[in-house]
Amino acid sequence: DIQMTQSPSSVSASVGDRVTITCRASQGISSWLAWYQQKPGKAPKLLIYAVSSLQSGVPLRFSGSGSGTEFTLTISSLQPEDFATYYCQQANSFPYTFGQGTKLEIK
Amino acid sequence: QVQLVQSGAEVKKPGSSVKVSCKASGDTFINYPMSWVRQAPGQGLEWMGRIIPLREKPNYAQKFQGRVTISADRSTSTAFMELSSLRSEDTAIYYCAYITGSTIDYWGQGTLVTVSS
């Protein structure tokens, strides 16, 4: 199985801050990397697919980059509604696997 | 607009089985892969398996092989996930979701399955 390792596991930040979350795959996953946002009691919401493609309706402050085994999600200027848990996920091979999550908290 | 509507919460005894349904709206059902993902309380997301209804042959995560059965009824646009030999560690919210690696990505509202004696 491909292991997806996110860092950090949690981060405290303020409105307006720039935040970067990293995801490392245990082997190459081509461009099959997605980022999800999840708020308490809600289903995950797709933010980024294919490493850097922004899902329709997602604000431009979200961006993704990377290749091979190292990927990042960047939020350029945090807004109050961005405080949530973020997951990376690979769909290169079965079983699809998720990172353990990064909880973004208000400082 | 695609909608995935799941069946209601379940409470099950250890050793029993649970079957969760997921009804899809729209004409995407047959061609898109339907995954099942679970989330234990306070934990992360875990992919269990998927099925493409048109092809019917499911793929399962090794962890659940032998205990999970994913199926689809094309006539009602409904997917099912059955998990057997339930144990307390299976207590979780179970989601159905179109996960395609593309912009096509839709999730059901989740079904809470509680395993308790």
Side-chain angles (χ1 to χ4, degrees):
Chain A
D1 297 2
I2 298 175
Q3 307 302 316
M4 306 297 289
T5 304
Q6 286 181 234
S7 60
S9 296
S10 64
V11 57
S12 294
S14 301
V15 172
D17 284 353
R18 178 184 181 92
V19 170
T20 297
I21 299 169
T22 298
C23 179
R24 179 179 290 113
S26 60
Q27 59 187 269
I29 57 171
S30 186
S31 296
W32 295 99
L33 190 282
W35 290 96
Y36 289 88
Q37 176 193 68
Q38 188 179 32
K39 296 183 177 179
K42 298 293 187 180
K45 172 188 172 184
L46 180 67
L47 299 175
I48 303 280
Y49 63 94
V51 178
S52 59
S53 296
L54 196 66
Q55 176 70 330
S56 176
V58 174
L60 293 174
R61 62 181 179 272
F62 290 92
S63 64
S65 64
S67 64
T69 60
E70 294 267 346
F71 304 91
T72 60
L73 172 70
T74 299
I75 310 171
S76 60
S77 179
L78 278 172
Q79 298 302 300
E81 60 268 28
D82 300 337
F83 292 94
T85 300
Y86 293 84
Y87 295 92
C88 62
Q89 181 243 336
Q90 67 82 19
N92 180 74
S93 61
F94 298 132
Y96 294 168
T97 42
F98 292 86
Q100 80 278 16
T102 295
K103 188 172 184 178
L104 179 50
E105 298 175 303
I106 301 173
K107 185 183 287 184
Chain B
Q1 178 72 2
V2 174
Q3 269 199 311
L4 302 177
V5 179
Q6 298 183 223
S7 50
E10 303 261 14
V11 179
K12 294 293 183 179
K13 300 284 189 191
S16 66
S17 299
V18 68
K19 191 170 185 176
V20 180
S21 67
C22 172
K23 184 171 177 59
S25 65
D27 59 1
T28 55
F29 182 74
I30 288 179
N31 293 313
Y32 291 133
M34 179 74 79
S35 287
W36 288 87
V37 175
R38 77 176 187 179
Q39 187 169 38
Q43 302 300 308
L45 302 166
E46 184 172 34
W47 185 86
M48 301 176 68
R50 76 163 205 185
I51 189 168
I52 300 176
L54 184 62
R55 300 181 194 169
E56 298 187 339
K57 184 182 184 302
N59 301 97
Y60 300 126
Q62 184 68 27
K63 174 178 178 176
F64 300 100
Q65 198 86 27
R67 276 212 306 146
V68 69
T69 303
I70 294 173
S71 59
D73 181 341
R74 286 183 277 176
S75 68
T76 60
S77 299
T78 303
F80 301 91
M81 186 285 301
E82 183 169 22
L83 189 63
S84 62
S85 302
L86 289 170
R87 37 213 189 223
S88 58
E89 310 90 89
D90 294 317
T91 293
I93 296 173
Y94 290 77
Y95 293 101
C96 62
Y98 285 135
I99 298 175
T100 65
S102 73
T103 191
I104 305 297
D105 192 281
Y106 299 94
W107 291 64
Q109 83 276 17
T111 296
L112 176 62
V113 175
T114 302
V115 183
S116 174
S117 55

